[in-house]
């Protein structure tokens, strides 16, 4: 068979997918749900209501709709770094506050890790390009004294998306290593299911049969051509006997390939496979570097100039106008020119300062203040149809004036609704909180802390309820006063 056969193991009632090679020298093994019951060599169709790609309103689905697209409503993370077992109910915009080392970034990385797992891409280069801090596989799992019974056997991450009261839309469990017969594997093993049900649909059964026939034919053709990779034991076997010998293996491979497609489709529908953690850096925004491996924008701000070039297209005229109006939050800003190919190659963005003399009013990004460049990046990220639908911004307040922080947070909430984005932000600046409207359920705030056992936990912060006749306390003041958590308690 083209590409060669790999053993597809039947461990109990679990289907395993073919392996991807990992840059660490190991493999990525995907396991997809339970094996459907066999009936005369076929598979019992999966009931329609059990299928992964159900409609948003069917059985609740684990997603909630704000405006035009569904957003993820709940994420559960288990056994990832400082997280033992954590459930986070998301809005369209979710903000995390907490002291350094409380686990805010670990929450973001667990989501990104699951997204990479759904795509079968867990090598270090891919993880780093998504904004995930790369470490040894053993440090991906929690290392607390007491190990829950469910976590024994090497379960590293249990990631679920759902509403809590119903079966989740997608469950991913990820472990490093594993046993394959007598062989000890080195690599990631990923288990995926939908509420414990198979990911295959009834409509997939014909496709499984067709692919099985195709793979069998390819194997036979390679055998007839005496390809060197063909095992000697098959060389003198008649075709009927050969099909009987390889039939079960080919059948497993066919099921695995189609199930892998289902997993990829499901992750894409939940906007999980493209999840990124953005933490732009001033140097990369000011002096463009080589493009990121992830387009159109890299996690550190790479690719901004070339991405801005797309806003010069006629179909993006409304977005460009909207961006320029929002950038007038800076009193000195008058206009900027969306770079063309020549400007991108010269790494120069022309920005007009309304207070400068007409002949010297145009500056470039090297002379612009860093706060402007950060907002330019955030607006380009939020407004573009080419950027992920679901992503995170780590340390949103970086390099921003406190009053600008509150204004930016209001802009983020408005842009997320207008351009169908879902975003999780982390911050250490209390002023960011003053831009949130917690009476809008689509905007949510959580304080993140470590409990007495060192495990990361979250508490949702609700809108303040003042006494009659009293003025509500600003969230920034409540944060600094320690009323909503998120502050160190040991000094």
């Amino acid at each position: 068979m083209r590409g060669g056969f790999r053993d597809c193991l039947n461990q109990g009632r679990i289907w395993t997918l073919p392996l991807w090679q990992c840059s660490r020298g190991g493999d990525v093994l995907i396991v997809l749900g339970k094996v459907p019951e066999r009936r005369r060599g076929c598979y019992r169709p999966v009931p329609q209501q059990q299928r992964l790609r159900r409609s948003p309103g069917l059985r609740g689905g684990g997603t909630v709709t704000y405006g035009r697209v569904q957003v993820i409503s709940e994420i559960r993370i288990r056994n990832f770094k400082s997280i033992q077992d954590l459930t986070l109910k998301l809005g369209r915009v979710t903000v995390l506050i907490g002291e350094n080392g409380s686990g805010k970034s670990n929450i973001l990385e667990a989501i990104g890790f699951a997204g990479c797992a759904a795509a079968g891409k867990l090598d270090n280069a891919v993880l780093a390009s998504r904004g995930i801090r790369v470490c040894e596989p053993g440090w991906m799992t929690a290392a607390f004294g007491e190990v829950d019974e469910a976590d024994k056997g090497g379960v590293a991450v249990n990631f679920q998306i759902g509403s809590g009261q119903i079966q989740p839309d997608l469950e991913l469990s990820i472990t490093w290593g594993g046993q394959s017969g007598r062989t000890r594997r080195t690599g990631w093993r990923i288990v995926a299911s939908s509420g414990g049900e198979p990911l295959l649909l009834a409509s997939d059964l014909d496709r499984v049969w067709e692919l099985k026939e195709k793979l069998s034919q390819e194997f036979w053709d390679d055998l007839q051509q005496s390809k060197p990779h063909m095992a000697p034991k098959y060389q003198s076997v008649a075709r009927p006997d050969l099909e009987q010998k390889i039939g079960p293996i080919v059948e497993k491979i066919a099921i695995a390939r189609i199930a892998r497609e289902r997993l990829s489709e499901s992750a894409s529908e939940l906007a999980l496979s493209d999840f990124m953690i953005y933490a732009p850096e001033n140097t990369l925004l000011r002096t463009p570097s080589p493009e990121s491996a992830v387009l159109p924008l890299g996690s550190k701000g790479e690719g901004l100039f070339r991405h801005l070039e797309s806003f010069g297209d006629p179909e993006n005229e409304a977005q460009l106008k909207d961006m320029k109006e929002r950038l007038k939050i800076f009193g000195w800003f008058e206009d900027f020119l969306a770079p063309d190919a020549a400007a991108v190659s010269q790494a120069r963005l022309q920005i007009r300062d309304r207070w400068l003399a007409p002949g010297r009013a145009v500056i470039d990004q090297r002379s612009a203040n860093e706060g402007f460049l950060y907002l330019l990046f955030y607006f380009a990220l939020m407004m573009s149809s080419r950027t992920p639908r679901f992503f995170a911004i780590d340390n949103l307040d970086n390099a921003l004036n406190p009053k600008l922080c509150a204004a930016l947070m209001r802009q983020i909430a408005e842009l997320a609704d207008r351009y169908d984005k879902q975003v999780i932000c982390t911050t250490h600046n209390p002023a960011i909180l003053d831009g949130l409207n917690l009476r809008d359920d689509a905007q949510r705030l959580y304080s993140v802390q470590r409990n007495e056992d060192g495990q990361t936990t979250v508490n949702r912060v609700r809108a303040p309820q003042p006494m009659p006749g009293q003025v509500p306390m600003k969230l920034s003041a409540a944060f600094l006063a320690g009323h909503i958590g998120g502050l160190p308690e040991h000094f």
Side-chain angles (χ1 to χ4, degrees):
M1 187 185 70
R2 294 177 178 87
F5 275 102
R6 289 183 182 271
D7 290 337
C8 282
L9 310 173
N10 190 352
Q11 301 174 352
R13 288 173 52 78
I14 298 293
W15 282 117
T16 59
L17 272 72
L19 302 164
W20 287 285
Q21 193 66 28
C22 178
S23 67
R24 296 185 53 81
D27 292 308
V28 177
L29 174 65
I30 304 291
V31 183
L32 291 176
K34 298 178 180 177
V35 179
E37 291 182 5
R38 280 196 151 210
R39 289 188 179 180
R40 297 182 180 178
C42 298
Y43 290 88
R44 179 169 58 87
V46 180
Q48 183 76 8
Q49 67 270 23
Q50 292 181 358
R51 70 183 207 164
L52 181 62
R53 297 180 62 193
R54 50 183 174 263
S55 302
L58 186 62
R59 301 173 62 223
T63 52
V64 61
T65 298
Y66 297 113
R68 296 171 296 280
V69 298
Q70 61 180 15
V71 298
I72 297 172
S73 63
E74 179 176 306
I75 294 174
R76 185 186 179 197
I77 305 165
R78 298 178 68 245
N79 201 31
F80 184 85
K81 294 188 176 181
S82 65
I83 302 168
Q84 189 71 32
D85 193 342
L86 181 149
T87 298
L88 191 66
K89 297 181 182 294
L90 301 178
R92 183 174 285 282
V93 174
T94 303
V95 176
L96 307 179
I97 58 173
E99 65 175 302
N100 299 90
S102 59
K104 302 184 298 299
S105 296
N106 289 346
I107 294 173
L108 307 184
E109 290 183 353
I111 302 171
F113 191 60
C116 292
K121 298 177 180 178
L122 285 172
D123 56 276
N124 288 350
V126 172
L127 294 176
S129 71
R130 298 281 177 175
I132 300 170
R133 295 166 295 185
V134 175
C135 61
E136 291 298 318
W139 291 107
M140 288 288 192
T141 61
F144 300 107
E146 295 295 327
V147 180
D148 187 86
E149 186 67 28
D151 293 330
K152 291 182 178 179
V155 177
V157 179
N158 188 303
F159 177 89
Q160 301 178 2
I161 301 173
S163 67
Q165 299 302 317
I166 60 171
Q167 296 288 6
D169 284 290
L170 181 62
E171 299 174 65
L172 294 172
S173 297
I174 311 166
T175 59
W176 175 260
Q179 196 77 18
S180 172
R182 298 180 179 179
T183 304
R184 181 71 181 176
R185 293 198 180 279
T186 320
W188 293 108
R189 181 176 184 271
I190 305 161
V191 179
S193 61
S194 176
E197 297 295 338
L199 297 188
L200 288 178
L201 313 185
S203 59
D204 290 325
L205 301 183
D206 289 340
R207 293 179 60 206
V208 169
W209 180 260
E210 292 173 1
L211 183 56
K212 176 185 175 182
E213 292 295 306
K214 179 182 177 182
L215 294 175
S216 296
Q217 184 63 48
E218 289 179 353
F219 187 92
W220 177 256
D221 291 344
D222 284 355
L223 188 61
Q224 295 303 302
Q225 297 173 28
S226 300
K227 293 290 182 70
H229 66 270
M230 304 304 293
K233 65 180 180 180
Y234 293 129
Q235 295 290 340
S236 59
V237 178
R239 180 159 186 174
D241 295 334
L242 175 67
E243 290 184 349
Q244 186 176 4
K245 287 178 177 292
I246 69 172
I249 299 176
V250 173
E251 189 172 21
K252 292 175 185 179
I253 293 176
I255 289 176
R257 287 190 181 181
I258 293 174
R260 185 172 65 192
E261 292 177 11
R262 287 297 182 199
L263 173 59
S264 178
E265 291 171 4
S266 302
S268 296
E269 288 175 354
L270 293 168
L272 179 60
S273 55
D274 294 328
F275 184 86
M276 291 274 293
I277 304 170
Y278 292 100
E281 297 179 356
N282 177 42
T283 303
L284 294 178
L285 296 177
R286 197 176 296 280
T287 306
S289 62
E291 290 185 2
S292 165
V294 181
L295 298 176
L297 290 175
S299 62
K300 303 300 182 184
E302 309 97 313
L304 177 60
F305 277 25
R306 189 163 297 280
H307 184 52
L308 288 173
E309 182 183 0
S310 67
F311 283 85
D313 297 338
E315 61 267 23
N316 294 326
E317 182 178 353
Q319 288 92 325
L320 180 60
K321 182 179 179 181
D322 188 14
M323 183 185 300
K324 291 180 178 181
E325 286 299 315
R326 293 178 186 276
L327 286 171
K328 288 181 180 177
I329 194 172
F330 295 95
W332 57 267
F333 175 77
E334 182 177 0
D335 195 5
F336 80 89
L337 296 179
D340 54 18
V344 170
S345 64
Q346 296 172 7
R348 186 168 186 265
L349 179 65
Q350 299 183 63
I351 308 166
R352 184 175 294 276
D353 187 326
R354 71 184 183 89
W355 284 331
L356 298 183
R360 304 179 60 187
V362 176
I363 60 175
D364 62 24
Q365 78 285 351
R366 293 170 295 182
S367 301
N369 67 82
E370 58 184 333
F372 173 83
L373 296 177
Y374 277 102
L375 261 65
L376 181 63
F377 176 86
Y378 295 143
F379 292 162
L381 172 63
M382 297 294 299
M383 293 180 178
S384 175
S385 60
R386 299 171 57 209
T387 53
R389 199 181 81 207
F390 179 36
F391 57 86
I393 301 175
D394 206 9
N395 295 317
L396 178 64
D397 55 279
N398 192 17
L400 302 181
N401 175 276
K403 189 174 181 180
L404 184 57
C405 284
L408 172 61
M409 191 68 252
R410 285 189 289 270
Q411 298 267 23
I412 292 289
E414 183 180 337
L415 290 169
D417 182 64
R418 176 174 295 188
Y419 293 100
D420 294 336
K421 302 289 187 179
Q422 185 175 15
V423 57
I424 306 175
C425 304
T426 70
T427 185
H428 290 282
N429 194 323
I432 286 285
L433 310 191
D434 291 336
L436 284 171
N437 176 15
L438 295 186
R439 290 179 175 81
D440 179 359
D441 197 47
Q443 301 180 40
R444 302 189 180 188
L445 173 64
Y446 287 88
S447 65
V448 184
Q449 54 278 318
R450 307 280 286 270
N451 63 16
E452 59 184 7
D453 296 319
Q455 301 166 7
T456 293
T457 62
V458 296
N459 291 313
R460 184 174 175 182
V461 179
R462 303 280 182 173
Q465 301 293 331
M467 298 294 291
Q470 292 184 343
V471 177
M473 178 182 287
K474 284 187 173 183
L475 284 172
S476 58
F479 185 15
L480 288 172
H483 297 326
I484 61 176
L487 293 179
E489 298 180 352
H490 57 280
F491 63 87

